[in-house]
Amino acid sequence: KAEGHVEGEKVENPDTGLYYDEYLRQVIDVLETDKHFREKLQTADIEEIKSGKLSRELDLVSHHVRTRLDELKRQEVARLRMLIKAKMDSVQ
């Protein structure tokens, strides 16, 4: 008995072990809104995602998806800057 992926079904994501795991999950969620990229993600394994091998496909995503990715990146950079500042303040 084969179990297939049901459209709209939420799949439990494995822990990547990365410090930026939440950011990675948000990026993947945005990329999955693009039909072409979703197909690429479905055939990729976690190592391909972690290594950035799929980044070649980013040139093919829609403008709306790219804009959302840019916003997520700005938010992540701001979060990292806040953490660095807090660490620097605690050291001083």
Side-chain angles (χ1 to χ4, degrees):
K1 177 180 168 184
E3 293 185 32
H5 176 72
V6 177
E7 187 69 28
E9 176 183 338
K10 198 68 169 171
V11 177
E12 186 66 30
N13 293 324
D15 182 14
T16 62
L18 298 171
Y19 182 70
Y20 53 92
D21 187 69
E22 180 63 28
Y23 170 66
L24 177 62
R25 291 182 194 285
Q26 290 174 343
V27 168
I28 291 170
D29 288 345
V30 170
L31 289 171
E32 284 180 336
T33 63
D34 184 89
K35 183 181 178 187
H36 172 77
F37 205 88
R38 185 179 339 116
E39 292 170 0
K40 295 292 183 181
L41 279 173
Q42 288 174 346
T43 60
D45 62 22
I46 193 73
E47 289 305 316
E48 289 175 314
I49 294 170
K50 286 166 81 172
S51 71
K53 185 177 179 181
L54 291 178
S55 64
R56 293 181 221 130
E57 302 293 328
L58 289 175
D59 292 335
L60 305 175
V61 298
S62 69
H63 176 70
H64 171 72
V65 171
R66 191 68 191 173
T67 301
R68 182 67 183 124
L69 290 173
D70 290 343
E71 178 60 29
L72 285 174
K73 185 176 180 178
R74 279 190 288 278
Q75 291 171 2
E76 180 66 5
V77 168
R79 183 186 76 85
L80 292 173
R81 285 183 177 150
M82 183 184 69
L83 288 174
I84 291 169
K85 183 179 180 336
K87 184 174 182 177
M88 297 288 282
D89 289 347
S90 71
V91 169
Q92 292 176 355

